[in-house]
Amino acid sequence: MHHLTVVFRADREYEFNVHATDIANLSSEAAREWLQEEFDELECTPSNPVGKVLILDVILNVAKYGGEQRFAQGGAWATQFATCVAVVLDRPSVRIDVPGFVVG
């Protein structure tokens, strides 16, 4: 199981659990493609405008530009985000600090 926390403020954290069955049919490439498509669709601004955009920048920007409301609702978009991050980073626990712009 993967545990993902998306933080917008100390008192506003949204938690998602992604189980092995949720990611069984999702390849790392497909997860990266979804995140990149959201990055483009949300018109995210890369933190490094001159160079390669790293996957952590993509994740942070998609969370930021996707907005807190989507995570608060906990619907399909937030679940897909959590699932894709779980597959791409393959860590048991991920904390995305949106205001601090840090993935830990």
Side-chain angles (χ1 to χ4, degrees), residues 3 5 27 32 42 49 59 66-67 69 75 86 94 99-100:
H3 182 79
T5 305
S27 70
R32 283 176 184 270
L42 293 167
I59 290 168
Q69 190 61 37
V94 176

Side-chain angles (χ1 to χ4, degrees), residues 22-97:
D22 300 329
I23 60 175
N25 296 319
L26 183 62
S27 70
S28 181
E29 182 179 318
R32 283 176 184 270
E33 284 177 14
W34 186 88
L35 288 165
Q36 187 61 53
E37 286 171 6
E38 290 301 306
F39 183 89
D40 295 340
E41 187 174 305
L42 293 167
E43 298 180 357
C44 297
T45 304
S47 53
N48 179 6
V50 186
K52 187 175 181 182
V53 178
L54 303 175
I55 192 62
L56 294 179
D57 285 336
V58 171
I59 290 168
L60 286 161
N61 275 295
V62 169
K64 177 182 174 181
Y65 286 84
E68 181 178 357
Q69 190 61 37
R70 290 186 191 203
F71 293 100
Q73 291 170 345
W77 187 91
T79 301
Q80 184 67 27
F81 175 85
T83 303
C84 289
V85 170
V87 168
V88 168
L89 297 183
D90 194 24
R91 297 182 196 166
S93 181
V94 176
R95 183 176 179 85
I96 299 171
D97 179 348

